[in-house]
Amino acid sequence: MREKQRDLVIIGGGPAGLAAAVKAWNLGIKSISLIDESERLGGLLPQCIHPGFGLHYFREDLTGPEFAARLIERLRETGVEVLSGAHAAQIEVEPGGLKKVYGYRYGEAFKIGSKAIIYAAGCRERTRFEAGILGDRPSGVYTAGEAQTLMDIYGILPGKEIVIVGSGDVGLIMARRFALEGARVKGVVEMMPYPGGLMRNIVQCLEDFAIPLYLSHIVAEIKGSRKVESVKIAKVDDKLSPVEGSSFEIKCDAVILAVGLKPRTEILARAGALIDDATGGPIVNDWLETTIPGVFAAGNVLVVNDLVDYAAEQGEWAAESAFKFISEGDLPRSGVKRLIRGRNVRLIVPQLVSCLRDVVFYGRVSVPEEDVAIRFEEVGKVFRLPAVRPPEMFRIKISASDLSMLGGEKLTVNIVRV
Ligand SMILES: Cc1cc2nc3c(=O)[nH]c(=O)nc-3n(C[C@H](O)[C@H](O)[C@H](O)COP(=O)(O)OP(=O)(O)OC[C@H]3O[C@@H](n4cnc5c(N)ncnc54)[C@H](O)[C@@H]3O)c2cc1C
């Protein structure tokens, strides 16, 4: 097996991994390998041809491919070794702390020893079975990502009469794309009583195209012997149980599943990193270091981000931490406090804080509320917000000097009405 040594290995060449690679190189780490299983760098971005990327990171409204191209251009100015078409299969940590990444590329196994790793493997889409959709197994059922790849990379429309499951931003954006391509979108079906995506997307992607939104409904069954023929829709009550006698059928030839994303943590979990049930990603401290010292996480594998800008920001943050870890041999480890998810806080990262540095917290709420404040109780910091909604991530920065006021073991975050 071919083996080489590096100071830093980055797994994942999406926006988080690319931003991490560029930052790490510019900070002075000159021995870096970037591994991506795809032949094309950019992660999810090359297939997202709509605008809405980069308003924070590049201060410009770019399409996905444009955002990726900017980062790839910056990467080309560095000496980072890019291993595309390479799958990282396993991470091992030796007793002395040296990490090994095992994988394969073009049928050949490889092994790279490294002082630190940034894990930026993104997320995967949930399947119909994870969403509890029963029925036949005909062709014509696609995840949103598969449908997007078919359309935007290969120019194939997945169907003429389409039903979309899930009203998050991905489902909404896909609805508009299909409509623009000439398909009839017969409905977007959402289990919750409120839409999962941003209000602007409800208006621009559904209302502008007269696409019906079925809130508090589920697709209970897919029907069709060879190809999808119809879906059976049912209303659900406030406990999300189907309401008797409420079902009806919609004829369609394709079903698109936009039923959520799951961080791709398998390799990390196998290596021993602790996973947070709330985010589905690894538990990290405020260096974005997982519970394996010297292994950092960034982007959608850490937490499913609304915005690519946050994924890239986390990539840079992980690179700064990896630089400190490599150049100083370790990171400060005493006095770490735990974040406690209080009222209406569904998830928050990082989950641990050292109180030695400024920290950006990314979080989501469980239910929508208006006129609220996010309170970081033990440090007395309060941030007023006109509204919070589950699909909209909040991003709040707290300075090291504020965090240094934290005496006890924990920092509790509550959403309170004001
Ligand atoms: C339909 C859709 C619309 C979106 N619209 C917007 C928008 O309008 N605005 C916006 O800001 N954001 C949008 N996003 C979100 C944005 O695309 C993501 O936040 C961003 O791509 C996440 O970056 P990432 O680097 O964490 O992950 P990814 O982009 O998923 O990249 C992860 C990379 O890791 C690689 N990888 C995974 N496992 C391995 C392994 N074991 N070995 C080697 N390589 C591996 C993958 O091949 C992939 O290239 C949208 C996303 C989708 C799906």
Side-chain angles (χ1 to χ4, degrees):
M1 188 188 297
R2 289 172 54 196
E3 180 173 352
K4 47 187 155 190
Q5 296 298 320
R6 292 282 178 263
D7 284 345
L8 177 64
V9 170
I10 299 170
I11 300 173
L18 290 170
V22 172
K23 185 74 178 183
W25 179 270
N26 290 337
L27 284 169
I29 308 177
K30 300 295 179 200
S31 164
I32 307 175
S33 288
L34 172 73
I35 299 174
D36 199 291
E37 62 194 11
S38 165
E39 288 296 337
R40 188 178 24 218
L41 288 175
L44 281 175
L45 298 182
Q47 68 191 57
C48 298
I49 63 167
H50 58 279
F53 295 80
L55 279 169
H56 304 271
Y57 194 75
F58 288 113
R59 298 193 187 288
E60 271 182 73
D61 191 4
L62 304 171
T63 63
E66 284 169 345
F67 190 107
R70 295 263 178 111
L71 283 179
I72 293 167
E73 213 175 287
R74 289 182 180 179
L75 184 76
R76 290 221 173 96
E77 287 160 15
T78 71
V80 170
E81 177 193 47
V82 176
L83 297 172
S84 49
H87 175 75
Q90 196 183 334
I91 294 173
E92 257 180 34
V93 184
E94 294 188 340
L98 187 72
K99 286 99 198 150
K100 295 246 156 105
V101 178
Y102 293 82
Y104 47 88
R105 186 178 192 223
Y106 309 135
E108 251 196 71
F110 66 80
K111 176 158 79 170
I112 310 177
S114 187
K115 293 178 184 164
I117 292 173
I118 296 177
Y119 193 74
C123 51
R124 70 167 177 82
E125 293 170 287
R126 292 176 74 229
T127 65
R128 64 177 277 190
F129 301 107
E130 288 173 291
I133 301 174
L134 306 175
D136 302 325
R137 297 190 184 190
S139 65
V141 182
Y142 304 94
T143 65
E146 286 163 354
Q148 199 175 45
T149 307
L150 270 181
M151 256 190 332
D152 294 340
I153 308 276
Y154 299 105
I156 300 167
L157 195 59
K160 291 196 179 90
E161 300 202 306
I162 297 176
V163 169
I164 297 178
V165 193
S167 71
D169 289 318
V170 172
L172 301 177
I173 289 166
M174 294 306 290
R176 177 177 58 187
R177 282 284 294 126
F178 294 134
L180 287 170
E181 294 298 327
R184 189 163 161 228
V185 182
K186 297 187 85 172
V188 173
V189 182
E190 170 59 54
M191 180 168 73
M192 302 307 287
Y194 45 82
L198 301 174
M199 261 340 277
R200 71 155 202 249
N201 283 333
I202 297 290
V203 175
Q204 294 170 5
C205 300
L206 300 190
E207 291 174 7
D208 287 358
F209 294 86
I211 296 171
L213 172 62
Y214 296 95
L215 294 176
S216 295
H217 280 79
I218 55 167
V219 170
E221 210 179 314
I222 295 174
K223 294 184 170 185
S225 53
R226 292 167 71 88
K227 187 113 181 65
V228 171
E229 288 161 21
S230 65
V231 287
K232 193 167 157 192
I233 312 271
K235 197 168 169 41
V236 291
D237 61 20
D238 53 2
K239 294 194 179 62
L240 305 180
S241 304
V243 176
E244 219 181 307
S246 68
S247 68
F248 60 97
E249 222 162 294
I250 299 181
K251 293 221 172 302
C252 58
D253 60 1
V255 179
I256 308 299
L257 305 161
V259 288
L261 302 165
K262 275 186 92 168
R264 291 181 67 179
T265 52
E266 297 80 3
I267 299 173
L268 273 185
R270 274 206 306 275
L274 295 179
I275 305 299
D276 180 354
D277 282 345
T279 58
I283 293 176
V284 293
N285 60 23
D286 49 1
W287 309 100
L288 298 191
E289 185 189 43
T290 67
T291 49
I292 307 174
V295 178
F296 303 85
N300 277 7
V301 78
L302 174 64
V303 59
V304 176
N305 288 284
D306 298 349
L307 296 179
V308 68
D309 308 75
Y310 296 168
E313 174 178 68
Q314 291 152 12
E316 291 196 354
W317 180 356
E320 284 162 9
S321 305
F323 175 69
K324 189 172 169 69
F325 180 87
I326 293 167
S327 50
E328 296 176 16
D330 204 356
L331 293 170
R333 301 206 175 272
S334 58
V336 172
K337 325 280 183 195
R338 245 173 355 116
L339 263 286
I340 304 290
R341 285 182 281 122
R343 183 184 174 280
N344 199 14
V345 178
R346 181 158 68 85
L347 60 85
I348 193 156
V349 279
Q351 296 89 343
L352 303 166
V353 281
S354 65
C355 307
L356 295 173
R357 52 168 299 156
D358 298 349
V359 181
V360 176
F361 292 98
Y362 307 88
R364 285 186 198 278
V365 298
S366 302
V367 292
E369 280 186 309
E370 288 187 2
D371 298 322
V372 292
I374 304 180
R375 264 196 347 223
F376 288 75
E377 300 292 353
E378 290 82 354
V379 293
K381 295 298 289 179
V382 180
F383 302 86
R384 297 264 317 240
L385 292 174
V388 284
R389 299 177 62 237
E392 286 164 34
M393 198 171 218
F394 61 81
R395 177 192 177 279
I396 287 185
K397 189 169 182 175
I398 302 197
S399 68
S401 64
D402 285 329
L403 287 167
S404 68
M405 320 272 283
L406 198 53
E409 305 265 293
K410 60 182 171 67
L411 175 55
T412 313
V413 187
N414 284 311
I415 308 289
V416 292
R417 283 176 192 269
V418 288

